[in-house]
Amino acid sequence: MRISRRAFAAAAVAVLLPLSACGSGGGGGGSSDASGKVEGDITFQTWNLRANFKPYFEGLIAEFEKKHPGTKVKWVDQPAEGYADKISADAAGGTLPDVVNVSPDLVAPLAKAGLALDLDKAAPQYEKEYLPGAWAGHRIPGMTGTYAFPWYLNTGPLFYNKTLFKEAGLDPEQPPKTYDELFSAGLKMAEKSGGKVATLANVPTIEDFGRYGVQLMNKQGTAFSFNDDKGVRLLAKYKELYDAKALDPQALTATPESSGKKFLTGAVAMNPGSALDLGNFKKQAPSLYKNIGITDQVTSTGHVNMYVMGVMVNSQSKRKPAAVAFAHFVTDAAHQMSFAKKVAIFPSTAGSLDDPYFTKEDGSDETRVRVAAAKSLKTAVNYTPVLFSEQMKIALRNEVAKALQGKQSPKEALDNAVKECDRLLQQQG
């Protein structure tokens, strides 16, 4: 069984998450019974975390073993390179660790293969401890159940240039919140600047379709559906922006780095970012820094996008009570808060985002961004379908580019994208 690795790091580039961790782990098959004494030896696998977080994880394991005498946790940290292949080999060879750090796309094929423990059956008492959107992050379309404990979350607010908004006759204290407001502001800014200032530097992704309210897949998880009327309308609006130069002409080939430079120089009015970006603005563009606005991601659903990581239990584990107990221990509120203070991530546990650490600013760039992001995460959802692979992302981007360039209509582009994504989906199965 081959697992496509859709890198969580790629999704989080905009927020520069200084942490790379993905994994896999068992679930749908085997006995779902996780009751019994917490004892025995288990293996916990992470991805490229030892170098930066060795003391944290060693302390975590020692604390668990002290709490549960008779347990022993072996921590295995694999290098990032080739990790997805390692997971595939372990899954095929029956050597998957007891507890593994996962992203939703990595847990999906394991759940389908019956290797990921269904927590809704094995440990339903824990669901209330987590944010609803986070707990739902490791559910698989077409299957019942939840296949990993939510671990850390991330999201990215939008930066905007108040000076450019003011020059275009827009209220710098009222940035666009919905896509309709964004399209209106973008066209006005392009017109006022004679096409010299674009509002956006990136083409729409699957997350944009989700935030616009498009149903991305059917409920069975067997086909994509983002080519519906609402999806076509979104792409048509982006085409209108592109023609008016409200969408940067180089958006078709943009990278997070190139988009950031456009924002830095005042050629683009809005861009996702992080506290690190604010520090760069302070040094490289002090006039921009003084006039920077921070707002939520644009969304027409009322919910921003979140990136979620999880901790999965191998359904074939011979020490299931210990494996479930440890996976919960890693992701409980106290330990998530402890981890969040070591790295720029957010806890997925209910109530944690109300902690002063996430609600009170101290004047620093870090807290400005942290507070803004934490506020939006409380009701955030993971829009990217867990079955949406890197190849599918490329297919969508290629068809979107053709539509923006006028080589085909928005309807034709999305029909072709859905057709290709459905073909790739069948290959996954």
Side-chain angles (χ1 to χ4, degrees), residues 180 183 212 232-242:
D180 288 342
F183 299 143
Y212 192 59
V232 172
R233 194 181 317 135
L234 177 69
L235 186 50
K237 284 291 188 180
Y238 266 89
K239 166 66 172 164
E240 189 178 348
L241 293 183
Y242 186 74

Side-chain angles (χ1 to χ4, degrees), residues 1-14:
M1 177 182 62
R2 179 173 178 78
I3 300 170
S4 66
R5 177 181 139 199
R6 191 175 74 237
F8 176 76
V13 162

Side-chain angles (χ1 to χ4, degrees), residues 201-281:
N202 297 287
V203 299
T205 64
I206 196 69
E207 293 162 13
D208 287 293
F209 286 89
R211 287 192 298 243
Y212 192 59
V214 178
Q215 183 175 328
L216 305 179
M217 292 191 81
N218 64 17
K219 292 181 180 179
Q220 295 76 34
T222 56
F224 290 96
S225 56
F226 53 83
N227 59 336
D228 65 6
D229 290 345
K230 189 173 282 190
V232 172
R233 194 181 317 135
L234 177 69
L235 186 50
K237 284 291 188 180
Y238 266 89
K239 166 66 172 164
E240 189 178 348
L241 293 183
Y242 186 74
D243 290 343
K245 295 186 178 179
L247 177 63
D248 186 77
Q250 295 177 23
L252 300 180
T253 57
T255 64
E257 292 76 21
S258 65
S259 299
K261 288 179 182 177
K262 292 270 186 177
F263 183 73
L264 186 72
T265 60
V268 170
M270 301 188 81
N271 203 57
S274 71
L276 182 60
D277 290 309
L278 277 182
N280 291 336
F281 300 154

